Amino acid sequence: MEIGNYIITKALKLGVDDVVVTIKPAITKQLRFANNEITLSTTWDTIDVSVFLAYKKRLISSSLNNPSLSETFSSMGGKTNLTKDSVDKFLEKMLKVAKVLAPKEDYHGIAKGPFKYKPVKDSYDKKIESLGDKTVDFVEDAIGAATDEGAKRCAGVLYSSFWEENKFTSGGVEASDKGSSINVSIRAFAEKDASGHSVSVSRVMKEFDAKLAGKEAGMLAKQSLNPVAGESGKYDVILGPMVAANLLYYMSYAFSAFEVDSGTSFLINKIGKKVGSKEVTLVDDSRMENGFGSNMFDDEGMPTQRTKIIDKGVLKTYLHNTSTAKKFKTKSTANAGIIYPQPNNLVLESGDSSLEEMISDVKDGVYITNVWYTRFANYRTGDFSTIPRDAMFEIKNGKIIRPIKGLRLSDNMQHILENIISVSKAAKIIHWWEVEIPIVTGHVLCKDLNMTKSAK
Amino acid sequence: MSVDKDLVHFCVDSALKNGASYSEARLVSTAEEGYILKNGVPESSIFAESRGIGIRVIVDGALGFLAINKFGKKEIAEKIKEVIKIAKVASKTLKRPVKLSDEKTYKDKWEIKPKVKFEDVSPEEKMKFLFDLEKNLKNLKSKLPSRFFQLATSNTEKYYVNSDGSELHGKIPQLFMYYSVIAVENGDTEQRYYPLGESGGWEILKRRNLFDKISEETSVLLKILRGAKKLPKETQDILLSPELVGIAMHESCGHPGEADRSLGREGAQAGETYLTKEWLGKRIGSDVVTVVDDPTIENSYGFYKYDDEGVKAQRRVLIKNGIINDFLHNRWTAEVFGMKSNGASRAGRFDREPIVRMSTTFMLPGDSSFEELLEDIKKGVFIKSYTEWNIDDKRWNAKYVGNEAYLIENGELKHLVRRPVLEITTQSFYSSVDALGKKVEFISGTCGKNEPMDPVPVWMGGPFARLRSIPIGSA
């Protein structure tokens, strides 16, 4: 670990005010599959080194995925063939640059430690390190479970990963965390227009269930055979977990103090105000047990916490790092991003409903199981649209009557939060290609949402 | 910058020695700088160096890929062995072993030479450019609570070797500039964002007059808020700018034309496509519609001389006079289709698998002037820029929401209309085009595909295009 401390000491000696060094060696393995075959197996064996420097409010973020430096770093603690020269040269170069930059006048520093950290339960499982080619079995399990349900072909991806994160800061932080993860994303097709998608996402083996993901995807594929064209209009809409997760992920920018400060959030000046129905309690739980994004510390090295963003519909806080918190005259929520605070595990707290109850509550509605391509007409208002893919169903008088296709959800993010009638008790972690921040949610019933379709 | 060529050859040889029937290695070294000015305040500047090797192998008909940024030969050789071992196990799931099309091999060195190198422009000057853009907004600033300017420059050097015998060494500098503004007036708001990317050096910013463009576009935002009228939904003609035609070409011609999507390989990510091999030779649009994808335009953001499988870059005609003419191919899809690759294999970074990607996708021009296109419209809408857009994962149902848009009456542009929504199928879009402008213009973008996500720089464009009888109205 001496190299991290060396960079801190050297940078401070050169006159830098704040320094944060992150060294993250990681091994990630991936199996991609399509048409029930494994199309590619990949191994990433990398070490990422990033250094943040603040000199008289002039800020530089640098990443050095350069073997000439990172090989040196990777030998930390062991045989050091460290060329301190290369580190010195790098720091001198960065400082020279910093001196000619303009200051960020509203920069207010990083967290001051040292801190005590509590490990997050179920965030590392040694078994994941030695899976080897067993991962091929998991892929076959997922595909097998989907085809058992009636799917003809499946596509998807399986990841297994383990890493170490070492943090050193001029705020007195010297910390290290270890993590692992395993996750599968599977899309099953029963016919060209009949598909279902599901995921299983975990930090530890015991909670990982490739078969269940395959089964769920396969069932949806089968249920959505022979869809008819849907009609545009206002509907009560049941958002499946993949859909709710997509919308929460895409609206999560609005919780970041960076976006509020930029003037781009639809939640500007709404702290203490009602922004959702009483069913909406939204939490960033960065310390969640088996949370896919859980971590002991944030990017400044501050111990992570559980933060209520929306409590029964009322906006409680934005997500902050040390600097944005000082600007907003509040406390950091330990969500650094040194530049851009963001959630780690965004959790929509469970309600007491179920999918079956929701369906029976809907007179004229739509059940959407997955969406993609969420885009905003205006970030400041939250006007957006997103497109269902995979199974979608029409509901009449409390019953699913048929699979439908060809609709688009064109609405507004705050309107959606305000119109949530119920949230299911059961929830799952969603993280896949379209949803890059882990979101924990169940089924969500929203009234009066706007569905549109191609006019020609 | 310099690359360790010996190490790249070592990777290719090491894979062959350990049982691969094909191998390729790509060392990519990139130095990037980034600057951001947010509401007049600079954010952290970014200085990033990355260097690593991506090694792709075929073992028992299965593809394996290793991305590594540790350069010890012993360590790399060990990892190659591991990748080969897993690929062997994975090969048991294959019904059809992976084969690549036979292609000509090349040994070449190529370079885009900037007129003004990024490293010869100081960070101070780069940041000053953003401050000047901010100053240029002058008295409009009070109405623009969100002003975001971003500048990024990169120098990339790539050394590619494959076991067929290709050795390619390329260097490319690229510039990316992005701005977004949100205007507010009487509690109402509109946004505009615009990306600009090109291959070349600092001279790009001198050639492009962003100052006038940003001032003009922000003034228009305020005009929209002050006076744009809602457009009742009815069937009428529409005139699309090159910006609108460009995004449509990317979304509803380029993406569906990616042969790997057609073969289902991106099914769980970016999705599939309505196009199958059987569509070749079938009509999707009117006679005037010809769309190409062309990586050989030198200053374009999607430029390359050889793709990331060593195949020489070439223009592909995807739609020819309204008929589906070709797909975008890499060496695997070409082999499955029984043809040669047309050089569309790209990876944005060393640690991504090269797959089928676009470069510069655009509709070829016609012979009408803007006035001629306009004068023949009795009632319609001219959409000059867009804000929200999306398309389904088969590339059939698209939506484009107009930003700056005008009512057309009896061949004349009238008042601004508010957020007209064009929600249309791919076939209706291409079938409705009846006339095109004379000049092609391009917009820049960063195309998303692959897993993990691998953004690659692209251009897209076309001429002004007139579409007849389209149902359209305000959101």
Side-chain angles (χ1 to χ4, degrees):
Chain A
M1 293 300 158
E2 66 189 62
I3 184 62
N5 286 322
Y6 177 78
I7 296 175
I8 302 291
T9 312
K10 179 75 189 182
L12 291 175
K13 210 179 271 178
L14 288 168
V16 169
D17 301 311
D18 300 320
V19 199
V20 178
V21 179
T22 310
I23 302 170
K24 194 173 174 182
I27 291 186
T28 299
K29 295 189 177 184
Q30 180 207 53
L31 294 173
R32 285 192 61 173
F33 53 100
N35 301 313
N36 301 346
E37 301 174 306
I38 292 177
T39 53
L40 180 74
S41 52
T42 295
T43 298
W44 286 272
D45 184 344
T46 53
I47 177 154
D48 292 337
V49 180
S50 66
V51 181
F52 169 81
L53 302 170
Y55 171 80
K56 295 185 177 165
K57 298 199 175 216
R58 290 150 173 91
L59 315 183
I60 290 186
S61 305
S62 61
S63 72
L64 290 162
N65 304 326
N66 186 331
S68 61
L69 280 173
S70 50
E71 261 176 54
T72 303
F73 291 137
S74 70
S75 63
M76 62 204 167
K79 43 184 180 172
T80 80
N81 50 359
L82 162 64
T83 58
K84 287 188 174 168
D85 262 8
S86 60
V87 173
D88 291 356
K89 272 186 199 148
F90 160 74
L91 287 173
E92 278 155 19
K93 185 181 155 195
M94 288 299 106
L95 189 63
K96 204 174 147 197
V97 171
K99 283 180 176 170
V100 301
L101 291 173
K104 173 174 162 60
E105 294 295 354
D106 59 359
Y107 169 74
H108 301 288
I110 56 168
K112 295 281 175 277
F115 300 102
K116 280 190 179 157
Y117 304 101
K118 276 191 203 154
V120 178
K121 212 176 157 201
D122 282 347
S123 59
Y124 171 72
D125 185 347
K126 198 169 171 35
K127 286 189 212 112
I128 291 176
E129 288 198 26
S130 50
L131 284 174
D133 52 32
K134 271 190 210 148
T135 50
V136 174
D137 298 340
F138 299 139
V139 169
E140 291 188 317
D141 285 350
I143 293 172
T147 49
D148 282 352
E149 293 297 328
K152 285 188 180 152
R153 56 191 183 91
C154 302
V157 65
L158 181 133
Y159 286 99
S160 60
S161 188
F162 53 96
W163 64 89
E164 196 183 296
E165 185 169 351
N166 304 291
K167 183 76 68 184
F168 307 86
T169 81
S170 54
V173 168
E174 185 177 341
S176 184
D177 198 4
K178 222 174 173 182
S180 65
S181 66
I182 181 158
N183 55 306
V184 68
S185 159
I186 178 167
R187 189 179 191 196
F189 295 80
E191 274 304 331
K192 209 174 173 212
D193 271 342
S195 59
H197 201 137
S198 186
V199 298
S200 176
V201 174
S202 182
R203 296 286 292 268
V204 289
M205 285 311 299
K206 64 179 181 189
E207 302 290 336
F208 176 67
D209 196 339
K211 277 187 190 162
L212 181 62
K215 187 180 164 138
E216 287 171 348
M219 279 169 64
L220 288 170
K222 184 77 187 294
Q223 288 161 4
S224 60
L225 277 167
N226 307 315
V228 299
E231 288 307 319
S232 51
K234 294 259 181 202
Y235 291 101
D236 291 348
V237 178
I238 300 172
L239 312 171
M242 303 272 289
V243 183
N246 184 290
L247 299 184
L248 290 166
Y249 165 61
Y250 275 95
M251 75 168 76
S252 68
Y253 76 94
F255 310 135
S256 174
F258 181 96
E259 300 283 359
V260 175
D261 189 43
S262 299
T264 39
S265 167
F266 66 87
L267 297 172
I268 293 169
N269 297 326
K270 289 181 183 168
I271 297 276
K273 292 185 181 156
K274 211 159 164 44
V275 297
S277 75
K278 64 178 182 6
E279 310 303 325
V280 180
T281 294
L282 197 61
V283 174
D284 173 54
D285 192 353
S286 300
R287 298 189 47 78
M288 192 178 126
E289 216 173 276
N290 190 30
F292 204 67
S294 292
N295 202 346
M296 284 204 305
F297 44 82
D298 74 357
D299 279 2
E300 296 172 18
M302 197 168 167
T304 45
Q305 62 182 55
R306 187 172 189 276
T307 304
K308 259 189 193 172
I309 303 167
I310 298 174
D311 189 13
K312 296 190 180 73
V314 177
L315 182 65
K316 291 299 197 189
T317 184
Y318 305 122
L319 297 178
H320 286 286
N321 57 30
T322 299
S323 183
T324 64
K326 282 197 181 145
K327 184 171 181 183
F328 282 64
K329 298 190 172 57
T330 182
K331 281 185 182 164
S332 172
T333 56
N335 286 96
I338 298 177
I339 307 306
Y340 192 105
Q342 61 177 25
N344 292 306
N345 297 303
L346 199 55
V347 182
L348 179 66
E349 288 206 343
S350 291
D352 51 14
S353 186
S354 68
L355 174 61
E356 292 70 29
E357 281 170 22
M358 288 177 185
I359 293 170
S360 65
D361 283 348
V362 171
K363 269 194 178 164
D364 183 18
V366 177
Y367 170 31
I368 313 174
T369 66
N370 198 12
V371 290
W372 91 312
Y373 225 133
T374 308
R375 290 291 183 279
F376 287 81
N378 192 326
Y379 285 101
R380 199 176 163 95
T381 57
D383 298 340
F384 79 100
S385 73
T386 188
I387 311 185
R389 57 191 253 178
D390 304 313
M392 176 164 56
F393 305 96
E394 188 178 345
I395 305 171
K396 287 266 189 232
N397 300 319
K399 287 203 170 94
I400 285 184
I401 57 162
R402 56 185 174 179
I404 51 172
K405 64 177 179 178
L407 291 179
R408 175 180 272 108
L409 174 60
S410 299
D411 215 287
N412 173 281
M413 287 298 183
Q414 191 169 325
H415 180 250
I416 287 193
L417 291 175
E418 285 165 350
N419 284 26
I420 292 178
I421 300 171
S422 57
V423 179
S424 69
K425 200 168 184 181
K428 67 185 288 187
I429 311 173
I430 306 292
H431 180 268
W432 71 290
W433 191 76
E434 264 284 315
V435 178
E436 293 174 0
I437 291 172
I439 310 284
V440 182
T441 176
H443 285 83
V444 174
L445 173 59
C446 283
K447 64 177 179 190
D448 291 334
L449 300 191
N450 189 36
M451 305 292 295
T452 60
K453 63 185 276 193
S454 289
K456 193 176 173 182
Chain B
M1 254 190 300
S2 66
V3 295
D4 186 348
K5 291 185 179 179
D6 171 58
L7 187 65
V8 182
H9 287 274
F10 169 82
C11 294
V12 172
D13 295 342
S14 173
L16 294 180
K17 258 183 224 159
N18 284 290
S21 57
Y22 169 85
S23 69
E24 63 184 20
R26 183 167 41 88
L27 191 156
V28 185
S29 181
T30 306
E32 290 170 283
E33 283 181 36
Y35 303 87
I36 288 169
L37 191 67
K38 186 184 90 177
N39 294 336
V41 180
E43 283 298 331
S44 178
S45 300
I46 293 159
F47 291 81
E49 280 180 37
S50 103
R51 181 182 273 216
I53 306 182
I55 302 151
R56 198 168 63 142
V57 298
I58 298 179
V59 186
D60 295 348
L63 272 176
F65 185 65
L66 168 68
I68 190 160
N69 68 354
K70 300 167 187 171
F71 280 7
K73 281 188 180 172
K74 207 174 143 196
E75 196 163 6
I76 293 177
E78 281 306 309
K79 291 290 165 185
I80 287 175
K81 276 185 202 163
E82 274 183 36
V83 167
I84 285 177
K85 195 176 157 222
I86 298 176
K88 271 189 181 165
V89 178
S91 74
K92 289 171 191 148
T93 68
L94 293 176
K95 286 177 249 63
R96 180 184 174 135
V98 171
K99 258 188 87 184
L100 304 183
S101 59
D102 285 330
E103 301 291 342
K104 196 176 165 187
T105 59
Y106 297 91
K107 289 188 180 178
D108 197 4
K109 199 169 175 178
W110 62 272
E111 185 173 1
I112 292 281
K113 283 196 175 149
K115 288 199 177 74
V116 183
K117 289 182 184 167
F118 297 129
E119 49 272 38
D120 290 345
V121 180
S122 70
E124 206 175 0
E125 198 177 331
K126 287 170 185 150
M127 199 68 216
K128 184 178 175 294
F129 181 80
L130 300 187
F131 275 111
D132 287 347
L133 288 174
E134 167 84 4
K135 264 187 219 153
N136 183 50
L137 292 173
K138 293 175 201 148
N139 52 350
L140 290 176
K141 270 189 258 181
S142 64
K143 303 277 186 192
L144 307 171
S146 177
R147 309 176 303 280
F148 189 88
F149 301 107
Q150 182 191 356
L151 172 69
T153 64
S154 67
N155 285 308
T156 301
E157 183 172 0
K158 205 188 284 189
Y159 186 64
Y160 170 90
V161 175
N162 69 23
S163 56
D164 294 342
S166 283
E167 292 174 21
L168 300 161
H169 189 177
K171 287 185 191 177
I172 189 163
Q174 290 184 311
L175 180 140
F176 180 78
M177 165 77 217
Y178 172 87
Y179 77 85
S180 83
V181 288
I182 295 180
V184 175
E185 180 92 7
N186 300 325
D188 197 1
T189 140
E190 280 293 345
Q191 74 176 23
R192 168 68 175 162
Y193 55 84
Y194 184 80
L196 165 71
E198 263 193 51
S199 298
W202 187 248
E203 69 279 358
I204 294 164
L205 288 178
K206 297 244 161 76
R207 196 169 60 239
R208 300 273 203 146
N209 189 348
L210 280 174
F211 290 88
D212 287 354
K213 185 172 176 65
I214 296 173
S215 308
E216 253 174 61
E217 290 188 343
T218 45
S219 307
V220 167
L221 284 185
L222 290 165
K223 280 183 198 159
I224 293 169
L225 292 171
R226 284 167 194 158
K229 293 180 185 165
K230 280 215 160 198
L231 183 74
K233 193 165 183 176
E234 60 179 289
T235 298
Q236 50 199 309
D237 297 340
I238 57 173
L239 186 52
L240 297 179
S241 71
E243 177 174 319
L244 268 294
V245 173
I247 186 72
M249 293 312 99
H250 181 89
E251 301 294 2
S252 69
C253 182
H255 274 307
E258 292 162 342
D260 57 344
R261 297 176 76 114
S262 183
L263 296 171
R265 200 175 186 267
E266 293 292 307
Q269 293 85 15
E272 300 192 336
T273 164
Y274 75 92
L275 281 176
T276 56
K277 198 179 170 186
E278 290 67 41
W279 265 90
L280 287 168
K282 290 196 176 143
R283 182 165 291 280
I284 186 71
S286 66
D287 279 342
V288 297
V289 174
T290 295
V291 187
V292 303
D293 184 88
D294 191 348
T296 68
I297 302 168
E298 278 242 335
N299 63 324
S300 68
Y301 202 34
F303 174 82
Y304 52 90
K305 192 167 175 191
Y306 298 91
D307 78 356
D308 287 319
E309 290 180 328
V311 176
K312 198 161 192 183
Q314 56 201 274
R315 176 182 276 209
R316 297 63 77 133
V317 183
L318 301 176
I319 300 177
K320 194 174 183 181
N321 302 121
I323 308 284
I324 298 290
N325 183 67
D326 203 358
F327 283 82
L328 292 166
H329 283 292
N330 63 9
R331 291 180 65 184
W332 169 68
T333 64
E335 178 67 22
V336 177
F337 274 60
M339 53 199 298
K340 293 279 179 196
S341 167
N342 53 22
S345 188
R346 297 179 75 186
R349 309 157 37 137
F350 80 88
D351 58 358
R352 295 294 186 268
E353 180 204 12
I355 62 166
V356 177
R357 306 301 295 263
M358 279 175 264
S359 56
T360 295
T361 316
F362 63 106
M363 190 183 273
L364 295 188
D367 53 10
S368 303
S369 67
F370 179 75
E371 291 70 26
E372 284 165 345
L373 293 171
L374 191 64
E375 71 187 9
D376 208 17
I377 296 177
K378 268 195 180 161
K379 184 144 195 233
V381 190
F382 168 49
I383 309 179
K384 193 176 172 189
S385 62
Y386 69 92
T387 159
E388 170 197 329
W389 89 104
N390 51 30
I391 187 162
D392 69 26
D393 67 315
K394 293 185 196 73
R395 305 277 157 183
W396 192 251
N397 289 293
K399 180 187 184 190
Y400 305 100
V401 180
N403 184 226
E404 181 178 357
Y406 300 86
L407 186 77
I408 303 169
E409 269 176 356
N410 299 318
E412 282 180 17
L413 290 183
K414 300 289 182 182
H415 57 79
L416 283 158
V417 292
R418 190 83 187 262
R419 284 196 206 171
V421 178
L422 176 61
E423 212 166 343
I424 191 167
T425 64
T426 296
Q427 188 148 32
S428 293
F429 183 96
Y430 289 109
S431 303
S432 307
V433 179
D434 85 326
L436 298 169
K438 288 175 189 173
K439 197 184 152 204
V440 169
E441 288 174 43
F442 297 106
I443 54 168
S444 316
T446 306
C447 175
K449 194 180 166 187
N450 209 345
E451 173 157 12
M453 183 54 87
D454 183 19
V456 301
V458 294
W459 266 5
M460 47 207 144
F464 285 101
R466 188 173 62 205
L467 280 69
R468 296 294 194 187
S469 301
I470 305 289
I472 188 167
S474 287

